Amino acid sequence: MEIKDKAAESGNLDSGGPDLSRSDQTRPDQGKGGRSILTSVYTHRWIPITFGSVCAYSTMITLVSSLGDEVDATVVTFWRTSITTCLALIVALHNGNAMKITTVKEMKFHIVHGSLILISIYLQFFAYQHMAAADAAAIIYSYVAFTGIFARLVLKEAFGFFEIAMVIMTFVGVVLVARPTFLLRNSAETISEKDPGIIPPLVAFAASLANALYVVTVRAMGITEMKVMKALFYGMLFTSICLMIPIFISGHPVVPLCIWGRLRLFAMGLCASLGIGLMNYALSIENAVYVSLVSIDDVFVVLIISIVFRGFQPKWTSIVGIILIMGSSIVILARKVLAYRMMKDAEEEQSCLDISVIS
């Protein structure tokens, strides 16, 4: 899974979009016969929007994986961040966002934010290029469970038996997907040229931990008024500048030699930007926990694309591992959804009591 907008997911960044999800917003108002259907479609429009973001990210992951034999992960990461930097600047200026950095605290935020983006995206792209994209996506998405560990260490948040059980469940799934030689691989698989070895799964796991640290760090820095596109622009700009140095030193080709490769590279950057835009819009009209629950589908979409278009044949360990990782993520997010709904019900009940007292 690509870093989407975990800053907005954790409630620290303002999406910068219109607040269209609240109950007091005007809904489409047609005749009585179709009013309820249109209202329901309008209210739940975040679902197809989020799924569109999922498809965009899944396409990006597949394109990154297909470019593995043509360009280095450093180059792919550079182009992905450069294209997103340009598009984020255009959108931010169009929205009238002030782009100037005004405080030292904000400067520190952009440096930390950009550094974590650099580490996370590079590790993700390396994993996508050196192992099955579906397996890599599943391991990377395990960050949902490991966020709790960093939240406990950094923010002193609660970390009880439920969180421990989910981490164990997720870690078992990661092991099954990675299939380390000393546990689950036989000698024939180990010497196979198609076998990625243990390094790519370890890199994917490191990307998962980087994602989890990203979420907690951004939350801990307490930036509450930052516009998403401004944060995205400076984060991607920082990453692009940092990547220029190793690219020019190493002498790697900056673009693929063939036209088809260049088109895929450009399409990869567009899909990443489209995914970010759709995800941010979904977050601006619906609570992040609901959006996150739907966004899990990107692992399954990548798996389907890999099987249909790339001839990927998942092993039973990969299937069981993906089920465990996604199962733990779904349980964690479903628990958040339940807690959120209980909180809203309690607020409504309290509001009704206050009204009755006033009456």
Side-chain angles (χ1 to χ4, degrees):
M1 155 188 163
E2 172 72 7
I3 283 187
K4 299 178 181 177
D5 185 26
K6 301 182 185 68
E9 178 183 327
S10 60
N12 289 285
L13 297 184
D14 176 10
S15 64
D19 188 10
L20 303 176
S21 63
R22 312 305 174 225
S23 58
D24 58 343
Q25 294 289 329
T26 303
R27 306 297 186 190
D29 196 6
Q30 302 292 332
K32 287 185 177 180
R35 182 182 302 173
S36 60
I37 296 178
L38 290 175
T39 300
S40 179
V41 171
Y42 184 82
T43 302
H44 296 92
R45 68 195 185 281
W46 64 271
I47 297 177
I49 290 172
T50 304
F51 192 73
S53 173
V54 166
C55 292
Y57 278 118
S58 301
T59 304
M60 181 209 69
I61 291 171
T62 304
L63 290 171
V64 171
S65 179
S66 70
L67 288 165
D69 295 331
E70 300 178 47
V71 286
D72 183 74
T74 308
V75 175
V76 179
T77 306
F78 170 76
W79 280 107
R80 181 255 185 271
T81 55
S82 298
I83 293 173
T84 305
T85 298
C86 296
L87 294 178
L89 179 61
I90 294 172
V91 173
L93 294 177
H94 179 268
N95 292 339
N97 297 149
M99 300 301 291
K100 184 179 179 180
I101 299 175
T102 56
T103 64
V104 176
K105 184 178 181 180
E106 185 182 345
M107 173 65 76
K108 291 180 180 178
F109 168 82
H110 288 305
I111 294 175
V112 174
H113 183 237
S115 299
L116 292 173
I117 286 179
L118 170 61
I119 295 170
S120 180
I121 295 182
Y122 177 78
L123 292 177
Q124 289 180 59
F125 282 13
F126 182 91
Y128 291 142
Q129 289 193 335
H130 293 84
M131 63 182 293
D135 289 349
I139 294 175
I140 291 167
Y141 211 95
S142 66
Y143 85 90
V144 175
F146 295 112
T147 299
I149 297 177
F150 289 112
R152 175 60 180 172
L153 295 174
V154 178
L155 302 176
K156 307 302 179 184
E157 293 183 357
F159 191 75
F161 290 110
F162 172 80
E163 288 79 10
I164 293 173
M166 291 301 99
V167 169
I168 292 174
M169 180 177 173
T170 301
F171 187 74
V172 171
V174 170
V175 171
L176 288 174
V177 172
R179 298 168 61 248
T181 305
F182 59 89
L183 285 179
L184 298 171
R185 303 186 194 194
N186 56 43
S187 58
E189 289 178 317
T190 302
I191 63 176
S192 170
E193 292 184 359
K194 295 184 179 180
D195 179 64
I198 194 60
I199 299 299
L202 286 178
V203 171
F205 184 65
S208 174
L209 296 180
N211 288 352
L213 183 60
Y214 174 95
V215 174
V216 174
T217 302
V218 171
R219 190 190 309 167
M221 294 186 72
I223 301 292
T224 58
E225 301 298 329
M226 179 73 63
K227 297 295 184 182
V228 166
M229 285 301 161
K230 181 179 180 180
L232 184 65
F233 167 74
Y234 281 109
M236 293 297 177
L237 178 63
F238 178 86
T239 301
S240 300
I241 294 174
C242 291
L243 288 172
M244 290 175 64
I245 300 173
I247 288 175
F248 286 116
I249 291 177
S250 64
H252 288 301
V254 179
V255 293
L257 298 178
C258 65
I259 298 297
W260 174 234
R262 296 175 184 178
L263 288 175
R264 281 181 291 154
L265 191 64
F266 184 70
M268 177 270 301
L270 288 181
C271 286
S273 302
L274 177 62
I276 292 172
L278 292 175
M279 183 62 64
N280 285 335
Y281 183 67
L283 287 166
S284 74
I285 61 176
E286 186 51 79
N287 187 275
V289 291
Y290 295 103
V291 175
S292 298
L293 198 56
V294 176
S295 69
I296 289 179
D297 292 337
D298 59 1
V299 175
F300 300 108
V301 174
V302 171
L303 178 62
I304 293 172
I305 292 176
S306 299
I307 293 174
V308 174
F309 295 103
R310 307 206 69 200
F312 174 59
Q313 297 179 346
K315 296 180 173 60
W316 71 268
T317 51
S318 293
I319 295 175
V320 174
I322 289 174
I323 291 174
L324 288 175
I325 295 171
M326 293 298 99
S328 67
S329 298
I330 290 172
V331 170
I332 291 171
L333 293 174
R335 190 172 185 237
K336 290 182 179 180
V337 169
L338 180 61
Y340 174 76
R341 295 188 65 174
M342 291 176 64
M343 179 188 69
K344 297 300 291 184
D345 291 342
E347 289 178 355
E348 291 177 3
E349 183 178 349
Q350 183 62 41
S351 177
C352 292
L353 290 174
D354 293 341
I355 292 174
S356 63
V357 170
I358 293 174
S359 301

